[in-house]
Amino acid sequence: MPRYVLQGVALIGFGLLLGLFGLIQLTNLFGVVDEHARQMGRSRLTRWVEGREVPAEEIKRRDGFILGRYIVGTGFLLVGLLAVGGGVVFVFTPPGQ
């Protein structure tokens, strides 16, 4: 199998992995966002800044957490989509001589 086809297949797989990570962030699959909010509420930095442990529900309601979650999730989805598109181009288009 030519090298450019292998590189294209690898890029498609990498794009699918990035897209899956973005989907997990956006839709809170497997409780990833809930666990992240819980860890943020218990962190030393949060206790030092706010002087208390913050419940995960309060962390999840904050504007920065919500906005960051959607920006990160959408970003990973878009980069994954671009990687899959580039991989498809690599697979079907031989390099110029």
Side-chain angles (χ1 to χ4, degrees), residues 8-95:
V9 171
L11 189 57
I12 289 172
F14 181 68
L16 289 175
L17 184 65
L18 283 178
L20 178 65
F21 181 73
L23 185 67
I24 287 171
Q25 282 291 94
L26 279 176
T27 61
N28 192 20
L29 289 176
F30 314 117
V32 170
V33 176
D34 297 333
E35 180 63 21
H36 187 221
R38 187 183 67 77
Q39 287 179 358
M40 285 176 61
R42 289 183 169 180
S43 73
R44 284 187 281 162
L45 181 63
T46 303
R47 283 184 283 173
W48 180 69
V49 170
E50 298 201 18
R52 64 186 174 96
E53 262 190 33
V54 181
E57 293 78 29
E58 185 178 334
I59 294 279
K60 286 194 298 186
R61 283 193 307 261
R62 292 182 179 176
D63 292 336
F65 186 81
I66 294 168
L67 185 64
R69 174 181 159 199
Y70 286 115
I71 287 174
V72 167
T74 304
F76 274 107
L77 272 173
L78 290 177
V79 170
L81 181 65
L82 287 174
V84 168
V88 168
V89 168
F90 272 175
V91 167
F92 292 114
T93 306

